[in-house]
Amino acid sequence: MFSPLSTLAAAFRGCESWPTHADYDRLAAANGLALRFVPSAAKGRRKRKKPAVAVIPYEDRVFHRREVPTRAESWHDFFNMLVWNLFPATKAALNERQILGRAPGVVRTREQDRLAMFDEGGVVLFGEKPVVFGHAIYEHAVTGGFTGNALPLLVEATDVPGADRELAAKIRAGLFLTTETFPRYELR
């Protein structure tokens, strides 16, 4: 399951503690990504005071500033960073559709729900060979909360770079607008 990420993760093999945002940025730069991984507050259930300045939503920061808010010492955000490096065009297309697919007065559209589901729990199928896309799947596999179900998308490409280009084109063309449901896929 982790083999597609192994080359990218090797950049952190010598780390004696969690990689820093600067480490994430170095990997992104080495892979030609024009974005930065910036500190983000940890998520929590406690009520927080209203911030003194307006908070820019996650999708907007990525789209307009090319900054990916990233929590320190978070498996979820670590795997998100690795998937950005593995599937940069697809991640950018997902972000673009999240921004451009907004409907006035609607918190989240059906398309945006599907986009988020694929981003968190997607699997790319090269015929019968699965490559995990969803960073939440990787996180849950490491932390023990993995259920085994995923949202699959079949590609004609035979390698990850080709799949990245193909998926990005499908997403930009509105794939998640026209598809009503996706079957669940069980990873083993």
Side-chain angles (χ1 to χ4, degrees), residues 118-173:
F118 184 72
D119 188 32
E120 297 283 337
V123 171
V124 182
L125 298 175
F126 298 80
E128 291 297 314
K129 178 187 170 200
V131 173
V132 173
F133 179 88
H135 55 282
I137 293 175
Y138 289 116
E139 173 199 15
H140 293 303
V142 168
T143 62
F146 181 64
T147 62
N149 288 324
L151 189 67
L153 284 179
L154 182 64
V155 295
E156 293 179 17
T158 58
D159 61 6
V160 171
D164 187 33
R165 290 187 298 275
E166 183 180 334
L167 286 169
K170 287 180 176 183
I171 290 164
R172 287 191 173 101

Side-chain angles (χ1 to χ4, degrees), residues 14-107:
C15 291
E16 294 182 14
S17 62
W18 275 92
T20 65
H21 292 90
D23 294 327
Y24 294 174
D25 289 347
R26 276 191 289 282
L27 180 64
N31 286 305
L33 272 69
L35 54 82
R36 292 179 335 113
F37 294 87
V38 298
S40 173
K43 290 182 180 180
R45 299 256 184 236
R46 287 184 271 147
K47 287 188 177 184
R48 296 189 184 112
K49 292 180 182 179
K50 190 172 183 176
V53 293
V55 175
I56 300 170
Y58 178 90
E59 289 87 4
D60 291 277
R61 282 187 77 177
V62 175
F63 187 77
H64 295 292
R65 294 185 176 187
R66 304 300 293 157
E67 296 176 343
V68 180
T70 305
R71 293 164 292 183
E73 300 184 18
S74 164
W75 282 114
H76 188 86
D77 290 356
F78 176 74
F79 287 116
N80 185 42
M81 176 272 307
L82 289 178
V83 174
W84 263 104
N85 280 275
L86 188 63
F87 286 98
T90 302
K91 291 288 280 188
L94 285 168
N95 177 251
E96 182 181 305
R97 288 300 297 193
Q98 286 286 7
I99 296 292
L100 301 177
R102 287 185 179 152
V106 176
V107 174

